[in-house]
Every structure is written in C-alpha cells, then in structure tokens.
Amino acid sequence: MTEHHRGERHALVVGVPPERREEYLDLHRHMWPQVEQMLRAANVRNYSIFIAGDTLLAYYEYIGDDHTADMRRIAADPVTREWWRHTDPCQVRIVEEREPEALWQLIDEVWHLP
Amino acid sequence: MTEHHRGERHALVVGVPPERREEYLDLHRHMWPQVEQMLRAANVRNYSIFIAGDTLLAYYEYIGDDHTADMRRIAADPVTREWWRHTDPCQVRIVEEREPEALWQLIDEVWHLP
C-alpha cells in the first residue's frame, strides 16, 4: 500500500429530488464507459459518489496540473454532455453557489489524515 | 501515481449544530497527534472531513482486514475518547440510524471510478 502523493482532493455536493432518486441510482448502475474514459483522460482518479437521503456527495482526486482546463475538456465532450442531459434533471443545487451555473458545488476540507 | 488497491472506501455523515460549527472547525485546526496516530495504527488512511453548510462528510480508506475490531480499538483508546468528549457536542445525527449509538452514520456508495 503506497502512500505518496495521490493528487488534489475535491469534494462536492448536490441534491436529488426524491422522485428522481431511483432514476439517478439506475443511471449509475449502467454508467457509460465513454464518460468514465473521459474522466480518466482528464486526470480524475478514485472518484466515488455517495448518497445520504436526498443528498449526493462526490469525492475525487485530481492528478493533473490544470484542473480548470481538464474540467473544460470534460464539459466539451459530446458523450459526457449527453450523459449530463440524463443526469441534470436528477440534480438540484443545495448549497450556496460558488461556481455559477454548476449544480454540484465544491465543499471545504476541514481536516485530512494521509 | 500508483493505482492498485487502496482499501475499502467508507463515507459517513453527521450534522453540526450551527452554534457549534466554529468550535468544530477550530478543534480540527488543532487535531491531537495521538488521535491521528491511533487512526493510522487502526489501518485508517486518506481520511478527510469536509463541511457543506451544517453537514459534515467523512471519507476514509481502510487497509486492514478486520474493520470492526479496529474500530473497537479506536473506541477503547483513552486519548480518542477524550477527543470525542470535545467533538461529540458538536455533532448531531442527521440520517436514518444504522449503527445504534453512533453519531456519524455510514452512507452508501452509488458509483466508483478507480
């Protein structure tokens, strides 16, 4: 088990409307391989989405050196955009907006133990 | 950047009463080294706590082979128990109880990308 640097940690939250919860879960049971490939090509690793009630929590590690540019590449990918056309209606912003027009909003790290 | 197996992923949530939020953050700015050492001795790695409004999110990876026993070791550690005497009043259960008497409750993983 290596423990050297594994990238920048990012955590985000978004809500799921109760009537869309099952649809969201089902979409992720059949995640599109091309969406996953795009994420990895954009230097995203160890990405998990968790659910607590009607709240979704995302955690990932970014191993590249230009997060903004890589996120733009993801957002420009036609397959990812089509995937989002399915997932967007399942998501609603639940915390104060930091990134305009984004549903998922970044949250702060309080503490970390390597 | 290695990508082999990094342990079982665990995510938990708990609430923080608004009037205790600053106290909780301040405690973690000065986390006790012995508490961190106990966690690592109990095979916990890559542990982060994030905050979104009045919700705390914990994520860690467990590299041992008996999570229940290791969690019991942590819970029996006098320094950790003293630390919890400070943090417990800053925490309130916010999701359906799965583990009786615990404030932090485990949440489900929806999807994971290595």
Side-chain angles (χ1 to χ4, degrees):
Chain A
M1 192 71 48
T2 65
E3 298 181 38
H4 51 73
H5 180 63
R6 308 200 285 189
E8 301 168 358
R9 296 174 298 282
H10 292 254
L12 304 99
V13 296
V14 79
V16 57
E19 69 277 14
R20 294 283 197 164
R21 194 177 190 279
E22 275 312 308
E23 181 181 346
Y24 186 87
L25 296 178
D26 196 55
L27 280 164
H28 285 79
R29 279 183 207 110
H30 308 95
M31 174 60 116
W32 300 356
Q34 285 166 280
V35 172
E36 297 193 332
Q37 284 160 22
M38 183 67 236
L39 286 165
R40 287 185 59 88
N43 297 309
V44 170
R45 296 290 184 278
N46 197 28
Y47 190 167
S48 297
I49 295 176
F50 300 93
I51 189 161
D54 299 329
T55 302
L56 298 167
L57 307 144
Y59 170 91
Y60 67 85
E61 292 159 12
Y62 176 71
I63 61 165
D65 53 20
D66 190 342
H67 186 263
T68 303
D70 274 324
M71 293 303 114
R72 282 199 192 119
R73 283 172 61 211
I74 292 172
D77 173 53
V79 177
T80 299
R81 296 172 73 90
E82 178 62 23
W83 169 254
W84 287 349
R85 215 174 56 76
H86 290 72
T87 58
D88 275 2
C90 300
Q91 298 172 345
V92 57
R93 194 184 302 130
I94 52 166
V95 293
E96 194 187 344
E97 178 178 304
R98 292 178 171 184
E99 196 178 347
E101 301 181 32
L103 293 166
W104 288 90
Q105 295 287 320
L106 197 66
I107 60 175
D108 292 321
E109 189 171 87
V110 172
W111 165 80
H112 177 71
L113 176 74
Chain B
M1 192 71 51
T2 64
E3 298 181 37
H4 51 73
H5 180 64
R6 308 200 284 188
E8 300 168 358
R9 295 175 298 282
H10 292 252
L12 303 99
V13 294
V14 78
V16 56
E19 70 276 14
R20 294 283 198 165
R21 193 177 190 279
E22 275 312 309
E23 181 181 345
Y24 186 87
L25 296 178
D26 196 55
L27 280 164
H28 285 79
R29 280 184 206 108
H30 309 95
M31 174 58 117
W32 300 356
Q34 286 165 281
V35 172
E36 297 193 331
Q37 285 159 21
M38 183 67 236
L39 286 165
R40 288 186 58 88
N43 297 309
V44 171
R45 297 291 184 279
N46 198 28
Y47 190 167
S48 297
I49 295 176
F50 300 93
I51 189 162
D54 299 328
T55 301
L56 298 167
L57 161 68
Y59 169 91
Y60 67 86
E61 292 158 9
Y62 176 71
I63 61 166
D65 53 20
D66 191 341
H67 186 263
T68 304
D70 273 324
M71 293 303 113
R72 283 200 190 118
R73 283 172 60 210
I74 292 172
D77 173 54
V79 177
T80 299
R81 296 173 73 90
E82 179 63 22
W83 168 253
W84 288 348
R85 215 173 57 78
H86 290 72
T87 59
D88 275 2
C90 301
Q91 299 172 346
V92 57
R93 193 183 303 130
I94 53 166
V95 293
E96 193 187 342
E97 179 178 303
R98 292 179 172 184
E99 197 179 345
E101 301 180 32
L103 294 166
W104 289 89
Q105 295 287 318
L106 197 65
I107 60 174
D108 292 321
E109 189 171 86
V110 172
W111 164 80
H112 177 70
L113 177 74

